[in-house]
Amino acid sequence: MVERELRLETKCYDANDYGYLYGLNQKIPDEEFEKVKPYMRKFGRKDFADGIIKVTGRPEGYRCLEKDVPKVEKILNIRNTLERRRNNVDKAFSDPVEKRKLQDKSLNWIIALFQRGGTQPEQSLSRLALHSTKIYDPNDAFKDGREDGEGTLFIYTPHGMWYIINNTHGDPKKNNVETPDGGMIGYRLMYEDNLDSLIRIYSEENEYSGPRLY
């Protein structure tokens, strides 16, 4: 069995107050955890403004704020730091060719993960938007191309992360997300740090800014 490298990862996203909250990707000895416990807080539903109505992911448990991530990483001698991972992305984004490669690779992984492991429950776009914590619209393709049946959305909700593909002018039998102007194909996965990172890289964290979806 290959031992995983210790690191801090995002556990949830709170749209109201905290933004991203971080936790360790594996259990560590109690004596080591005691060293970082001053920078961790045991969160529960009551610690969030609206319970967990505006939280995507796993908020319950010991979590730390982003400002305290470097302190925890230093104490535990974590090499795969949040700053290092972000610098790698920034470096790739500084070169248009490398940026395109990274985004293409990220999209391929996104599609594979959602199509292989995602579920497709019946849902409506308006309900997803109403209960969302955030919605990414890569390159504004959905905002600008919705009427033409183009664009995709990534919708974060308390019950998971959705990959929405506009299929207004496609085969309606494939649609499981209801919309006033047709239908869309939607895949849902539970929140996971690596998937969140892939989505943020591909979308460049461009949030939907078109007409209200509900």
Side-chain angles (χ1 to χ4, degrees):
M1 181 178 178
V2 179
E3 187 175 345
R4 289 188 298 165
E5 183 181 24
L6 182 65
R7 69 169 189 159
L8 281 169
E9 62 184 15
T10 58
K11 294 296 185 180
C12 68
Y13 172 77
D14 170 35
N16 286 325
D17 298 320
Y18 301 110
Y20 281 100
L21 291 175
Y22 296 77
L24 294 166
N25 67 336
Q26 58 190 278
K27 185 175 175 57
I28 61 175
D30 291 343
E31 58 270 23
E32 290 296 300
F33 184 72
E34 286 299 319
K35 297 177 184 178
V36 298
K37 198 172 179 180
Y39 303 105
M40 310 288 283
R41 173 179 167 185
K42 191 171 184 179
F43 280 87
R45 290 172 180 250
K46 63 180 177 60
D47 296 309
F48 297 90
D50 296 316
I52 56 172
I53 293 173
K54 285 295 182 180
V55 179
T56 299
R58 294 166 290 159
E60 293 93 350
Y62 279 98
R63 309 288 181 243
C64 75
L65 301 175
E66 189 166 310
K67 69 181 181 65
D68 292 320
V69 166
K71 301 168 188 174
V72 175
E73 290 173 333
K74 184 176 181 179
I75 292 170
L76 295 178
N77 194 29
I78 292 175
R79 296 181 180 180
N80 187 6
T81 64
L82 177 62
E83 181 181 23
R84 177 182 174 185
R85 298 196 296 272
R86 286 181 172 171
N87 286 342
N88 288 337
V89 174
D90 290 343
K91 182 179 179 181
F93 270 39
S94 67
D95 182 319
V97 175
E98 291 302 314
K99 176 182 177 180
R100 186 71 263 161
K101 286 181 180 178
L102 179 59
Q103 289 186 308
D104 287 345
K105 185 177 180 180
S106 296
L107 179 59
N108 289 337
W109 272 107
I110 288 169
I111 293 172
L113 290 169
F114 273 104
Q115 291 186 345
R116 291 175 188 172
T119 59
Q120 291 188 272
E122 297 289 327
Q123 191 54 271
S124 69
L125 182 64
S126 61
R127 183 172 176 80
L128 289 175
L130 179 64
H131 295 285
S132 66
T133 59
K134 61 180 171 180
I135 302 175
Y136 288 138
D137 180 12
N139 297 312
D140 289 330
F142 187 86
K143 180 180 75 172
D144 297 334
R146 178 176 181 175
E147 293 182 359
D148 298 321
E150 299 176 357
T152 60
L153 295 173
F154 295 98
I155 303 180
Y156 288 50
T157 75
H159 299 294
M161 308 162 77
W162 284 76
Y163 175 36
I164 304 293
I165 304 164
N166 196 344
N167 194 44
T168 301
H169 304 314
D171 183 355
K173 294 179 181 178
K174 296 181 178 180
N175 298 333
N176 61 300
V177 177
E178 177 188 355
T179 66
D181 47 355
M184 300 179 184
I185 301 169
Y187 297 92
R188 183 183 69 182
L189 281 171
M190 293 300 99
Y191 181 88
E192 198 272 326
D193 173 78
N194 287 324
L195 178 59
D196 174 65
S197 296
L198 291 169
I199 291 173
R200 292 164 73 185
I201 288 170
Y202 173 66
S203 68
E204 296 186 64
E205 300 190 59
N206 182 61
E207 297 202 26
Y208 175 72
S209 59
R212 243 171 69 160
L213 299 174
Y214 59 90

